[in-house]
Amino acid sequence: LAAAVTHNASKPDEFLRPGDDTPHIPDAGTIAAPASPQATAGTVSEAIVSDKTGGAATPGYNAVGGNLDRVRVDSGRQALTTNQGVAVADNQNSLKAGVRGPTALEDFILREKITHFDHERIPERVVHARGSGAHGYFECYKDLSALTRAAPFAGDGKRTPVFARFSTVAGGAGSADTVRDVRGFAVKFYTDEGNWDLVGNNIPVFFIQDAMKFPDLVHALKPEPHFGMPQASSAHDTFWDFVSLMPESTHMLLWQMSDRAIPRSYRMMQGFGVHTFRLVNAAGESAFCKFHWTPLAGTHALAWDEAVKIGGADPDFHRRDLWEAIESGHAPEWELSLQVFSEEQAEGFDFDVLDPTKLVPEELVPLTPVGKMVLNRNPDNFFAETEQIAFCTAHIVPGIDFSNDPLLQGRIHSYLDTQISRLGGVNFHELPINAPLAPVHNNQRDGMHRQAVHRGRVSYEPNSLGGGCPFQAGSAGFTSFPQPVEGDKVRAKPEKFAEHYAQARMFWNSQSTAEQRHIIKAFRFELTRVQTPAIRERVVSLLANVDEFLAGSVAEGLGFAVPDPAPEIGPVVRPVYAPSPALSLTAYPGDGSIRTRRIAILTTDGVDVAALSRICDVLLQQGAVPRVLAPTLGAVKGAGGKPAGGWQADITIEAAPSALYDALIIAPGEASTTSLCENGLAVEFVKDQYRHCKPILVIDTGADLLDRAGLPAVLPTGDADFSLINVSADQLDEGLAQFIQAVGGPRELDRETDPPVV
Ligand code: HDD
């Protein structure tokens, strides 16, 4: 053994140990060059993303970056160490008694490494486990101090750092992004007066009226306990059993079955604070308030068939989309608007503003835009930031206060409580991503994983030994709004909470014809997966209280007659609302730009190289992300098999199917088209683009592929299909102009038939 060790030390390679006695700093390695010429132009591409991974963080990019700087670790040009900072000579071999002998218990390096690994995972969030986040800032348009003393609104153009996390609700941390589900929309504002968390969803109402029912809702929604299925889906008996017995869910169910629940991107969905909150100014005057986030990119949704296919092709679709948009410099933005109303106004509404299953129609209280959020920096480390961030509805700052909404009241407890087991103790606020930028001084002490080193002998208040510090802030500190309360201690609900269908009906009547079609199909799909006939019927009996056509269409799809409407409990006054256009996704088309939109260009050998270059140039100028797809990787050859000026396939048709792209261009070239027509994957690609109502541009011979895919030349309505563009080679620029307009606009939903013809 002694001989071996001596030998080993002098000739390390003898036992296949990489490295030698001197510290070895490896090269960074060569990062693959972007495949095609267009990928060099600063667009979203795998190349740019990988280029970034080794890069150092940019300190001070926004203020919270500064906060995180002190804990950032970059290991470039550093030796490997243990957690105690002892340099490790050999990271390949455990310490053995003889090369073929047992491992020594004294191998503290092995044991530390394995022990740490064994404990790498923490419990995932009980709901909203799957999420993605980013840093950015909130910028207030105008000083709002007349309305609230909350720090983010305390000056024209004032910026407050934020971290936002978007999530699905039902699935586990490793589930797919594009499932049908509500999306979480949580924003932590690191204000100069402490952290404020606005923990909302992309739907402005909720399933239940009282926190007492939340564990029941979640138990019903999550995988069924006996066999752990289904993951990340509400299409199963226990969920529909529960909601069918909770008529107050009906309004939310319509939203959940709408296209809101399959957003195209986190960047393209609204966010809502859901509850009624209070704003309080420095004079102590208060108004009620609802918070709305509106994406500047507009609201866009996937088709259901598309969402399902993306789930297989790229389960990280939304995570990747957010990451790539930020890396490529297209920072997503949302405008924050407030609905502000007085307590007296609220009393006049025919619903209760404390009921989270109701929204305040914009016709009643219009929206006032007050600022915008820009997300411009990806996290350095997913676990340290996106996973460890802890949002709590209890985190409010002076100027913001709660209402008595019984769901909100329960949430105030739940979020802080859950972090104690999820993040392992009461000091989770010291994790860098959770630490406020505002200074923290109090007499709370000790507990698991304490980071702060409190000095001095005093940890109580009042004290004289510490000069009375930290002292109470008095009126400069948080003061609860002194709302008068009276009444008996009861377990009961206010009267207006009993009406469950008027706003569901308003929502239904506010949807476009296509949106209504999608809601019907979503109910049909979900309830088809339900195995218990009585549950299906009970859900339709709720819908019978909303709209006859809706209930009739869903019942027909499920093969039974519409049952009697679900009975009301006691006499109920049902208000009648006019349609509210703001409740349709069509109300927020965005600015019509095609920035960040992913465009597939189908090619193969024989492609018209000049046309391909022109197409990519034009799309890149617009900030889109063109991707050259071909049957195999490698060079794409031009006409006559000549090399095509450096053009390479970015990805294969097999590896990146149609659902991953917003639009399709079939590049011209006779030989290219002939060969694509023989490729079933290419034909399927074209069919899916059509079925998902996305724009398709074909140039010249590319039209043969449309015929091969059997696409109709006109819409089922008999009208021309503006998004199916077919031009000759000399009309390329006109074709591209029409294509860009189509990609920036809404999808051609008139293509839809039930069942689809293509
Ligand atoms: Fe909740 C997480 C949103 C009702 C209890 N919730 C969570 C997240 C969002 C929401 C966005 C994820 C935050 C993140 O990204 O870390 N929740 C809502 C909305 C609700 C709502 C908009 C209704 C208006 N939630 C609600 C109730 C309770 C909870 C009534 C309990 C009484 N929610 C939780 C939780 C979670 C959570 C168990 C899981 C992980 C976490 O908090 O940090 O405490």
Side-chain angles (χ1 to χ4, degrees):
L1 178 66
V5 169
T6 316
H7 190 64
N8 187 15
S10 60
K11 287 183 76 184
D13 286 346
E14 188 116 338
F15 297 113
L16 297 176
R17 289 170 29 149
D20 54 27
D21 294 339
T22 50
H24 175 67
I25 302 170
D27 287 346
T30 314
I31 293 165
S36 288
Q38 78 271 17
T40 55
T43 62
V44 177
S45 76
E46 284 80 354
I48 288 168
V49 171
S50 49
D51 189 26
K52 185 83 180 170
T53 49
T58 317
Y61 192 78
N62 58 33
V64 76
N67 194 35
L68 296 177
D69 274 348
R70 70 189 166 85
V71 287
R72 282 188 171 135
V73 177
D74 283 311
S75 295
R77 306 189 68 80
Q78 301 296 324
L80 193 76
T81 71
T82 65
N83 285 335
Q84 302 306 315
V86 176
V88 174
D90 179 342
N91 191 34
Q92 320 299 321
N93 299 296
S94 53
L95 184 67
K96 300 178 197 76
V99 281
R100 302 186 63 246
T103 301
L105 184 63
E106 79 167 58
D107 190 351
F108 66 96
I109 296 177
L110 171 75
R111 285 173 50 212
E112 182 201 79
K113 184 174 177 181
I114 299 289
T115 305
H116 196 278
F117 169 77
D118 289 343
H119 300 271
E120 267 177 14
R121 290 291 167 274
I122 61 171
E124 63 177 34
R125 289 167 173 82
V126 53
V127 280
H128 297 266
R130 166 91 192 161
S132 306
H135 294 272
Y137 62 86
F138 171 75
E139 184 173 304
C140 174
Y141 293 153
K142 286 252 165 276
D143 179 295
L144 289 183
S145 45
L147 196 58
T148 171
R149 58 171 284 207
F153 307 111
D156 296 2
K158 180 172 179 183
R159 284 190 179 189
T160 300
V162 300
F163 188 94
R165 183 174 179 273
F166 309 105
S167 46
T168 54
V169 179
S175 59
D177 278 339
T178 56
V179 297
R180 174 178 296 285
D181 201 352
V182 180
R183 297 300 186 285
F185 194 122
V187 182
K188 187 181 284 292
F189 294 74
Y190 300 87
T191 90
D192 15 77
E193 297 202 17
N195 285 355
W196 170 37
D197 295 352
L198 185 53
V199 197
N201 279 340
N202 74 333
I203 289 177
V205 289
F206 203 65
F207 293 103
I208 47 170
Q209 295 172 320
D210 193 309
M212 190 73 160
K213 298 306 298 171
F214 190 70
D216 299 289
L217 168 71
V218 174
H219 289 170
L221 175 64
K222 280 280 191 176
E224 298 189 14
H226 57 311
F227 59 8
M229 291 189 278
Q231 259 296 321
S233 166
S234 54
H236 61 118
D237 285 46
T238 57
F239 173 71
W240 288 98
D241 184 29
F242 175 77
V243 292
S244 72
L245 297 166
M246 296 285 292
E248 68 203 51
S249 306
T250 311
H251 187 195
M252 176 76 166
L253 286 178
L254 262 76
W255 286 80
Q256 191 199 6
M257 292 302 110
S258 80
D259 293 345
R260 307 257 172 184
I262 39 172
R264 156 66 181 81
S265 159
Y266 288 138
R267 302 177 291 124
M268 299 170 194
M269 63 184 201
Q270 289 178 289
F272 303 92
V274 181
H275 311 282
T276 298
F277 288 88
R278 276 185 181 283
L279 297 178
V280 188
N281 67 15
E285 295 156 342
S286 165
F288 280 146
C289 164
K290 292 257 186 185
F291 295 102
H292 295 242
W293 295 106
T294 309
L296 266 57
T299 49
H300 302 281
L302 298 170
W304 173 239
D305 181 67
E306 181 187 14
V308 170
K309 287 173 175 159
I310 294 174
D314 184 6
D316 304 310
F317 188 71
H318 287 151
R319 181 173 291 177
R320 195 183 310 284
D321 170 273
L322 180 66
W323 179 274
E324 291 192 343
I326 294 173
E327 289 298 294
S328 66
H330 295 293
E333 297 183 19
W334 287 261
E335 184 163 71
L336 180 68
S337 296
L338 308 180
Q339 279 180 300
V340 180
F341 48 99
S342 66
E343 206 144 351
E344 295 69 46
Q345 266 177 296
E347 270 159 28
F349 297 158
D350 41 28
F351 57 92
D352 198 321
V353 297
L354 302 184
D355 175 356
T357 68
K358 311 281 172 24
L359 52 83
V360 178
E362 291 184 27
E363 289 68 23
L364 223 48
V365 182
L367 260 56
T368 310
V370 296
K372 68 170 180 179
M373 173 169 75
V374 180
L375 296 183
N376 57 8
R377 185 163 65 83
N378 278 314
D380 290 316
N381 182 284
F382 184 88
F383 178 81
E385 300 173 80
T386 311
E387 191 59 22
Q388 292 202 115
I389 194 161
F391 292 95
C392 300
T393 40
H395 294 168
I396 54 170
V397 291
I400 297 179
D401 210 335
F402 312 114
S403 71
N404 289 340
D405 175 340
L407 195 73
L408 175 59
Q409 294 281 318
R411 293 180 75 193
I412 296 167
H413 162 73
S414 182
Y415 289 73
L416 200 146
D417 184 44
T418 202
Q419 314 308 343
I420 293 170
S421 58
R422 188 173 78 86
L423 296 173
V426 287
N427 289 319
F428 65 89
H429 62 280
E430 291 190 345
L431 291 168
I433 193 66
N434 295 324
L437 291 175
V440 176
H441 294 286
N442 59 41
N443 295 310
Q444 295 169 32
R445 288 292 183 273
D446 309 342
M448 295 281 193
H449 318 302
R450 182 50 107 171
Q451 308 281 309
V453 182
H454 293 103
R455 304 176 71 195
R457 62 200 282 210
V458 167
S459 54
Y460 54 88
E461 193 279 336
N463 67 68
S464 67
L465 295 177
C469 294
F471 54 87
Q472 294 184 142
S475 60
F478 183 88
T479 320
S480 291
F481 178 73
Q483 190 192 357
V485 272
E486 57 171 313
D488 300 338
K489 196 190 276 184
V490 287
R491 291 188 187 275
K493 285 186 170 62
E495 206 175 310
K496 287 180 193 164
F497 275 46
E499 196 290 308
H500 303 310
Y501 304 108
Q503 290 209 350
R505 187 176 295 170
M506 171 177 66
F507 177 74
W508 170 256
N509 288 334
S510 307
Q511 302 300 291
S512 68
T513 316
E515 285 174 309
Q516 289 190 343
R517 227 172 26 230
H518 298 171
I519 292 172
I520 292 168
K521 286 177 75 174
F523 272 111
R524 188 176 76 191
F525 175 89
E526 296 267 320
L527 295 174
T528 303
R529 303 284 288 254
V530 164
Q531 303 296 307
T532 313
I535 296 176
R536 294 186 192 136
E537 288 188 26
R538 220 159 42 222
V539 174
V540 179
S541 78
L542 296 177
L543 302 182
N545 281 317
V546 178
D547 184 85
E548 210 177 307
F549 178 71
L550 166 65
S553 307
V554 176
E556 189 187 336
L558 298 171
F560 56 76
V562 180
D564 290 339
E568 310 270 5
I569 302 165
V572 165
V573 183
R574 176 144 317 135
V576 177
Y577 298 101
S580 176
L583 302 185
S584 165
L585 282 175
T586 60
Y588 311 96
D591 61 4
S593 104
I594 65 165
R595 277 191 304 276
T596 73
R597 292 310 194 111
R598 295 168 55 84
I599 317 286
I601 307 171
L602 276 195
T603 67
T604 187
D605 290 347
V607 69
D608 176 340
V609 178
L612 181 58
S613 298
R614 176 74 189 145
I615 291 167
C616 289
D617 284 350
V618 171
L619 293 177
L620 285 169
Q621 276 162 21
Q622 302 283 327
V625 185
R627 308 295 285 160
V628 175
L629 276 74
T632 58
L633 286 182
V636 181
K637 297 199 184 76
K642 296 201 187 95
W647 283 100
Q648 302 259 332
D650 289 309
I651 192 142
T652 64
I653 302 171
E654 179 190 47
S658 171
L660 300 178
Y661 296 92
D662 291 298
L664 167 66
I665 297 178
I666 301 169
E670 205 168 325
S672 159
T673 313
T674 311
S675 128
L676 287 175
C677 282
E678 299 306 313
N679 183 334
L681 292 175
V683 176
E684 196 60 34
F685 199 109
V686 175
K687 283 185 180 176
D688 267 357
Q689 285 284 312
Y690 182 88
R691 186 186 297 167
H692 303 152
C693 305
K694 299 170 180 175
I696 302 174
L697 169 63
V698 293
I699 304 121
D700 198 32
T701 53
D704 295 349
L705 199 51
L706 300 190
D707 293 341
R708 182 76 176 73
L711 304 195
V714 292
L715 294 168
T717 56
D719 296 326
D721 188 336
F722 180 78
S723 291
L724 188 56
I725 308 152
N726 185 346
V727 293
S728 59
D730 57 352
Q731 292 174 317
L732 177 61
D733 278 1
E734 291 87 332
L736 279 168
Q738 187 180 338
F739 178 76
I740 287 166
Q741 209 183 330
V743 178
R747 292 190 186 182
E748 184 43 274
L749 297 175
D750 279 348
R751 278 187 202 156
E752 288 177 341
T753 52
D754 187 15
V757 286
V758 174

